[in-house]
Amino acid sequence: MSQAWIIVTEEKQTPALVAMAKGLGGKVIAAVIGPRALAEAAAAAGPDAVKWVETEQGRPAEAYAGPVARLIAADAPGAVVASASAAGRVLAGATAVKLGAAMIPRGLKLSAAGETTLLERADLDGRVIETIASAGPVVTFYAGGDVERTPCSPAPIETVAADGVADIRLEKTEPAAGADAGITKASVVVSVGRGLKKKDDLTLIQGLATALGAEIGCSMPVADDLGWVEKERYVGRSGQHITPRLYIAVGIQGAPQHLEGIRGTKVVVGINNDPDAPIFKAADFGIVGDLYEVVPALRAALGK
Ligand SMILES: Cc1cc2nc3c(=O)[nH]c(=O)nc-3n(C[C@H](O)[C@H](O)[C@H](O)COP(=O)(O)OP(=O)(O)OC[C@H]3O[C@@H](n4cnc5c(N)ncnc54)[C@H](O)[C@@H]3O)c2cc1C
């Protein structure tokens, strides 16, 4: 039974990484790259041991890709699961190269069938779950949801000296363009999904948002795949988590990953031409109809 490693660069999702790595059936070792507090949080999340690589003030975790990859590869684990943070992905990639392992993004579940490692991973925006069988080690970054932390005694923490750290430093941090989107503070958000046919039609959504004094939000594909709206405005598990008084989802199907971003919202309104769209299960009010008719009608009703 081979052991699995997890790569921790942030506290978020550490219990989920541990739970996934345990699926391989062996011990779970956590490589923690960050401050002591992060190592302690990881130790309490259920791994068997923690190897702590302390980061210097102002040095990004990515600088430690070389030493972390060597540390993990020396143990020849059967699988490595990293967090989906930018640094987690970089460290996972470096480890895969050092280990001579397959790098398989968006892992959800690990298991072993005899000598074979099975990795379930999300594909096609989560519409498909593929099971990959590997005769050798696999490296992935996690794409699943959060897992409750189960009480356990903390794992021992061993400090690991890092040699060959890349000479990079954080010079300055400043807000990116669009970061002032204000969507996280807005009390009303009009959010648009792939039900919109073309980018120019955003004027329709903007018109409704202006009439309501709302901020514009969107589903992940509208920002990530289509690039129609700034990435800072997409809502969901991997995007913004918001709790406005009113959230109007226009042409958004209501995928679980999207709904995770509006938990705690007071009133959710769904506008969708498919009466079976999942958004209607989550919505307080639903309008079944073509957004190209419903949105202008709403604006007319608002007198704007
Ligand atoms: C790991 C992972 C993380 C993810 N994180 C996020 C996330 O943070 N946020 C997120 O949004 N998604 C996320 N996703 C993607 C998510 O699973 C969905 O694929 C995505 O939310 C779908 O976007 P959509 O509803 O805009 O598009 P679609 O699924 O294409 O739905 C479009 C909807 O518009 C309706 N429609 C079409 N035409 C009209 C019309 N004329 N009038 C009215 N309605 C119309 C359709 O009936 C349909 O319901 C994630 C996926 C994975 C795997």
Side-chain angles (χ1 to χ4, degrees):
M1 207 182 298
S2 61
Q3 54 191 19
W5 281 62
I6 61 170
I7 297 176
V8 179
T9 56
E10 57 183 9
E11 191 179 340
K12 206 172 100 183
Q13 293 200 322
T14 307
L17 302 187
V18 172
M20 180 172 167
K22 281 192 172 163
L24 203 60
K27 287 194 168 163
V28 173
I29 318 288
V32 179
I33 304 89
R36 176 80 193 182
L38 182 62
E40 285 170 3
D48 295 286
V50 169
K51 308 281 181 186
W52 173 41
V53 178
E54 183 177 13
T55 47
E56 277 174 59
Q57 186 73 26
R59 201 181 288 280
E62 287 90 335
Y64 298 81
V68 169
R70 285 192 291 278
L71 169 72
I72 298 176
D75 190 49
V80 180
V81 184
S83 69
S85 68
R89 293 177 193 214
V90 168
L91 296 171
T95 303
V97 171
K98 193 76 194 158
L99 201 53
M103 173 79 209
I104 302 165
R106 303 174 94 84
L108 297 170
K109 200 171 167 192
L110 264 177
S111 58
E115 295 300 303
T116 305
T117 297
L118 299 174
L119 173 70
E120 285 183 18
R121 66 99 165 253
D123 204 5
L124 296 179
D125 261 358
R127 287 192 185 83
V128 171
I129 294 175
E130 293 179 335
T131 302
I132 312 273
S134 173
V138 293
V139 180
T140 188
F141 59 83
Y142 183 66
D146 293 342
V147 166
E148 285 283 302
R149 192 178 278 272
T150 41
C152 60
S153 38
I157 300 175
E158 182 192 332
T159 307
V160 177
D163 296 322
V165 177
D167 192 6
I168 54 171
R169 293 219 146 264
L170 181 66
E171 280 292 302
K172 60 175 177 176
T173 306
E174 54 191 16
D180 60 341
I183 185 173
T184 52
K185 298 191 190 88
S187 60
V188 183
V189 173
V190 176
S191 206
V192 64
R194 265 195 306 215
L196 201 72
K197 292 193 177 78
K198 54 184 196 301
K199 187 178 180 185
D200 286 351
D201 298 344
L202 275 173
T203 50
L204 199 67
I205 308 301
Q206 185 62 62
L208 179 60
T210 306
L212 288 165
E215 287 286 340
I216 295 263
C218 66
S219 65
M220 186 176 84
V222 170
D224 243 13
D225 303 344
L226 300 170
W228 291 352
V229 173
E230 301 103 302
K231 290 196 176 168
E232 292 75 17
R233 290 184 186 269
Y234 91 71
V235 173
R237 175 189 297 173
S238 43
Q240 299 287 5
H241 291 231
I242 58 173
T243 51
R245 269 189 308 112
L246 174 62
Y247 184 79
I248 306 183
V250 186
I252 291 179
Q253 59 140 306
Q257 296 91 347
H258 184 82
L259 298 177
E260 272 186 41
I262 55 167
R263 262 190 221 141
T265 293
K266 202 149 186 212
V267 176
V268 176
V269 177
I271 301 173
N272 201 300
N273 61 3
D274 174 4
D276 296 324
I279 189 69
F280 292 128
K281 292 207 173 73
D284 300 284
F285 301 97
I287 304 174
V288 179
D290 185 337
L291 71 90
Y292 289 89
E293 291 167 14
V294 175
V295 172
L298 279 177
R299 280 187 67 185
L302 288 163
K304 296 185 183 172

